[in-house]
Structures are given as C-alpha cells and as structure tokens.
Amino acid sequence: MEQPEDMASLSEFDSLAGSIPATKVEITVSCRNLLDKDMFSKSDPLCVMYTQGMENKQWREFGRTEVIDNTLNPDFVRKFIVDYFFEEKQNLRFDLYDVDSKSPDLSKHDFLGQAFCTLGEIVGSPGSRLEKSLTIGAFSLNSRTGKPMPAVSNGSGLWMESLRTTGLEASGGVPGKKCGTIILSAEELSNCRDVATMQFCANKLDKKDFFGKSDPFLVFYRSNEDGTFTICHKTEVMKNTLNPVWQTFSIPVRALCNGDYDRW
C-alpha cells in the first residue's frame, strides 16, 4: 500500500540483526527564524532527515518534508515515522534547505543549517518536544553550483566537527553561527488503521485580495496530550473564489487524533 503523501517512513530503521522495534514514533518538524536566502521574498524551506548506520556510521537519507513557500517559520505537514528501539542509540540529522527549483538534487539549493540529536532525546524531552539551534557546521562548496553543502564526518567525531570558512560568509551563513531553531515533536503511534474520508466547502468568505477574490485553503491541526496543537493536513488552494469546494481527501485517523476519537 502506498504511504500517504504527508508521511515519510521506512519499514526498517536500520539493519540491526536481532533487534526488534519497541514501537513506532511519529516525528513532526517545525522551524523558527530561518535564514532568509531570497532577494525579494522569504526562503522556501525543506527539511531532510538522515539516519546513521549502527556499524559503518554512514548517513543515509530517510525522508523529506514538503516545501513551504515564502516563510522563515515553517510548520511541516509531512511526518517522519520511525521504529524506536529502546536499547539502541539512534542518531538523527536534520538539514534545512531553501528550495530554488524543482530539482531533487540538494546541491542546487541553498543550505540553511542543520541539527543533530538522537531519537531518544526527542522522546525523552518534556512533552516529547525538543528544541535545538540550527547551525552551519563543516561544509564544502559544490564543484558544479558553488553552493555550500554540509560535510558531515562519518566517524566518532561527528558531534564536534571542524569548521571551514571558505566563502560561506558571503552566502549569508557563518560557520558555527546560529541559523534559527528546529522544533522536533514525537508521539508514539497507535495501532489504529482507520482512514477518514472528508470533503469541505465554504460560502461567502471575506474578500482579501485587492483586485480579485480570496484564494482560500484549509489547515487542520490535531490536539496533543499536553494541550498543544500540531498541523496534520492542508487542503489545496482554491484560486479567486469566495465559495470554495475543496477536493475530497482521505487521511489516516492516526494523523488526525492518533486513533483517539475522543481527543479534544
């Protein structure tokens, strides 16, 4: 079955012989005060999550969020679903980019910063919510594009990397400088497999555009156990209308309320 587009997951977190995942955890990513790389607007951020192999210490891409246009404070809808092993130290890395084109090649986009943590740090934080500063650590300049790319050690010294400063200051980032904040939230997933199918419409909305009508869309948030709210779905934008009828969509009940139909 195809994964819903607002989630990224793998069937195995890593090739751990004899290890059995204790539970599945959903990670939600938000950022605040990112670097602004665009001349006439704000950055269009994307977050890429990496996991580290237990034996060879190699980083491999786990998944990507969606791109959110024109914001320095993104709340990403797409989640990362990982297997959580109680007995293992599971290193994670989050890289932020300002997307400049539709190319999937990260070297063609502006690097905004990165953060390292373990899955246990996120789960064990108060309310399973961890805030970390984004920094620009060691980097290399891509030979084709000239853009700075993160250069991450695969050895035991990955947490304390040396810094190189060739040219990065001119591109808007200084090695070691804080580049905003990443907020990582985790919640253990229930075993609920229900799917909800919904459609929404609206009538006589406010006209917000000077020369046309509004371009409305809906944003859905689910309540968390600590009383906060997490974004879980966005509809498409309906152009130039005050009476939108959004497309029917299906979403896992786990994404809406983690299987708890009485959650407020």
Side-chain angles (χ1 to χ4, degrees), residues 205-233:
L205 296 179
D206 264 353
K207 178 183 175 183
K208 296 296 185 182
D209 293 345
F210 190 74
F211 293 109
K213 299 175 182 177
S214 298
D215 303 318
F217 63 96
L218 288 173
V219 182
F220 294 81
Y221 294 84
R222 76 171 184 219
S223 62
N224 301 317
E225 294 178 349
D226 61 357
T228 61
F229 288 84
T230 298
I231 190 170
C232 62
H233 183 73

Side-chain angles (χ1 to χ4, degrees), residues 25-41:
V25 172
E26 177 187 86
I27 299 175
T28 300
V29 181
S30 297
C31 297
R32 296 293 180 264
N33 302 314
L34 294 177
L35 291 175
D36 191 357
K37 291 287 189 174
D38 291 345
M39 181 87 57
F40 298 108
S41 63

Side-chain angles (χ1 to χ4, degrees), residues 237-257:
V237 176
M238 301 296 293
K239 292 290 188 179
N240 197 33
T241 179
L242 303 183
N243 301 291
V245 179
W246 290 280
Q247 295 178 12
T248 300
F249 65 92
S250 295
I251 184 171
V253 171
R254 286 199 310 191
L256 286 174
C257 61

Side-chain angles (χ1 to χ4, degrees), residues 61-112:
E61 183 177 325
F62 183 85
R64 302 181 183 189
T65 65
E66 76 280 11
V67 178
I68 301 182
D69 293 337
N70 197 33
T71 181
L72 304 183
N73 302 292
D75 296 310
F76 296 105
V77 175
R78 185 170 296 169
K79 320 294 183 184
F80 300 116
I81 298 177
V82 299
D83 291 330
Y84 179 35
F85 301 88
F86 291 150
E87 303 298 327
E88 303 291 342
K89 182 180 180 181
Q90 296 168 255
N91 291 328
L92 305 178
R93 169 179 141 215
F94 297 87
D95 289 359
L96 273 295
Y97 290 88
D98 172 27
V99 175
D100 295 321
S101 70
K102 293 184 179 180
S103 173
D105 184 353
L106 294 174
S107 69
K108 295 184 178 180
H109 308 295
D110 290 318
F111 178 53
L112 297 177

Side-chain angles (χ1 to χ4, degrees), residues 8-216:
S9 74
L10 291 178
S11 57
E12 295 181 1
F13 185 87
D14 202 355
S15 53
L16 302 172
S19 294
I20 300 176
T23 187
K24 285 189 179 294
V25 172
E26 177 187 86
I27 299 175
T28 300
V29 181
S30 297
C31 297
R32 296 293 180 264
N33 302 314
L34 294 177
L35 291 175
D36 191 357
K37 291 287 189 174
D38 291 345
M39 181 87 57
F40 298 108
S41 63
K42 296 184 174 67
S43 295
D44 305 317
L46 161 79
C47 180
V48 185
M49 184 178 117
Y50 295 83
T51 61
Q52 189 181 46
M54 298 298 296
E55 299 298 331
N56 58 21
K57 301 301 181 182
Q58 291 289 329
W59 288 103
R60 67 185 186 190
E61 183 177 325
F62 183 85
R64 302 181 183 189
T65 65
E66 76 280 11
V67 178
I68 301 182
D69 293 337
N70 197 33
T71 181
L72 304 183
N73 302 292
D75 296 310
F76 296 105
V77 175
R78 185 170 296 169
K79 320 294 183 184
F80 300 116
I81 298 177
V82 299
D83 291 330
Y84 179 35
F85 301 88
F86 291 150
E87 303 298 327
E88 303 291 342
K89 182 180 180 181
Q90 296 168 255
N91 291 328
L92 305 178
R93 169 179 141 215
F94 297 87
D95 289 359
L96 273 295
Y97 290 88
D98 172 27
V99 175
D100 295 321
S101 70
K102 293 184 179 180
S103 173
D105 184 353
L106 294 174
S107 69
K108 295 184 178 180
H109 308 295
D110 290 318
F111 178 53
L112 297 177
Q114 66 184 186
F116 297 91
C117 67
T118 66
L119 183 55
E121 281 184 82
I122 305 174
V123 173
S125 296
S128 296
R129 184 178 184 274
L130 177 66
E131 292 191 25
K132 292 187 75 76
S133 294
L134 291 164
T135 60
I136 293 179
F139 73 95
S140 59
L141 296 180
N142 185 272
S143 59
R144 289 184 293 108
T145 66
K147 291 180 180 288
M149 294 291 293
V152 183
S153 167
N154 290 323
S156 59
L158 79 93
W159 305 109
M160 296 297 293
E161 296 168 329
S162 63
L163 302 178
R164 289 182 284 164
T165 59
T166 307
L168 189 58
E169 291 89 342
S171 71
V174 178
K177 177 185 176 182
K178 292 182 180 180
C179 307
T181 302
I182 188 169
I183 303 167
L184 304 167
S185 301
E187 183 171 355
E188 180 181 352
L189 286 177
S190 72
N191 293 321
C192 179
R193 294 293 184 267
D194 295 346
V195 174
T197 300
M198 296 180 281
Q199 185 177 29
F200 290 84
C201 63
N203 293 308
K204 299 180 181 179
L205 296 179
D206 264 353
K207 178 183 175 183
K208 296 296 185 182
D209 293 345
F210 190 74
F211 293 109
K213 299 175 182 177
S214 298
D215 303 318

